[in-house]
Amino acid sequence: MSFLQTLHTFGTIETTRSYSYSKHLDPVQRLRMNFTENAKRQIADVKSDAPLSPNAWVSKKELGGGRVQYKVSLRVGPRLIKLPEGTHVTIESKEKVIEFLEGAIAACNGGEFDELLVETSGKGKMPPTPAMDKAPMSS
């Protein structure tokens, strides 16, 4: 008997969603999904108090006297999203960082970041929205 014929002896064989699932989404949906997954990872890192990686969206600075300052940047891959007045937000507490990132996830899922995500990613332009003021052409 071959190994493949005896797989069932090891346990239950299951089918999982292919890793390439996101490749079938339109570019904006894929950017939203990736942003949301990465933001959730950042929240988990901040909650765990683990040392933050140099590539993290959040950096932590000890100010002395027990005070901590967090610098939070939103990213699409390695690129910083340009916020209206800069590239990062300085926040004074861990709870506010988590609240900020949860708000960013909600805004992203609501479509508020679509243009920023597409612009920052360099993946092209936003898909055109149908113009309602143009009359259909007749032949």
Side-chain angles (χ1 to χ4, degrees), residues 21-36:
Y21 163 76
S22 67
K23 292 182 180 180
H24 301 292
L25 298 173
D26 75 62
V28 175
Q29 286 179 318
R30 191 172 342 146
L31 288 166
R32 280 186 197 167
M33 185 180 79
N34 290 338
F35 179 89
T36 300

Side-chain angles (χ1 to χ4, degrees), residues 84-109:
E85 297 181 23
T87 57
H88 67 273
V89 178
T90 303
I91 302 175
E92 299 295 325
S93 74
K94 178 167 82 169
E95 293 76 22
K96 288 280 190 188
V97 170
I98 294 167
E99 184 181 330
F100 173 80
L101 290 170
E102 288 171 344
I105 290 170
C108 177
N109 290 334

Side-chain angles (χ1 to χ4, degrees), residues 56-69:
W57 296 8
V58 180
S59 61
K60 183 176 172 181
K61 180 179 178 183
E62 302 288 335
L63 298 177
R67 292 184 29 230
V68 177
Q69 184 180 68

Side-chain angles (χ1 to χ4, degrees), residues 6-131:
T6 61
L7 281 177
H8 68 281
T9 62
F10 293 99
T12 305
I13 300 170
E14 299 177 349
T15 303
T16 59
R17 186 182 311 176
S18 168
Y19 178 76
S20 64
Y21 163 76
S22 67
K23 292 182 180 180
H24 301 292
L25 298 173
D26 75 62
V28 175
Q29 286 179 318
R30 191 172 342 146
L31 288 166
R32 280 186 197 167
M33 185 180 79
N34 290 338
F35 179 89
T36 300
E37 287 174 5
N38 289 328
K40 286 178 180 178
R41 199 172 305 128
Q42 299 303 312
I43 290 170
D45 288 349
V46 170
K47 283 182 178 179
S48 72
D49 284 326
L52 301 170
S53 81
N55 296 328
W57 296 8
V58 180
S59 61
K60 183 176 172 181
K61 180 179 178 183
E62 302 288 335
L63 298 177
R67 292 184 29 230
V68 177
Q69 184 180 68
Y70 297 89
K71 183 170 89 171
V72 184
S73 304
L74 302 179
R75 296 179 178 264
V76 175
R79 297 178 178 168
L80 291 172
I81 292 177
K82 292 179 183 144
L83 302 171
E85 297 181 23
T87 57
H88 67 273
V89 178
T90 303
I91 302 175
E92 299 295 325
S93 74
K94 178 167 82 169
E95 293 76 22
K96 288 280 190 188
V97 170
I98 294 167
E99 184 181 330
F100 173 80
L101 290 170
E102 288 171 344
I105 290 170
C108 177
N109 290 334
E112 191 175 338
F113 286 0
D114 288 356
E115 287 184 33
L116 289 172
L117 293 173
V118 171
E119 178 185 309
T120 304
S121 72
K123 300 280 185 198
K125 297 181 181 176
M126 285 287 295
T129 54

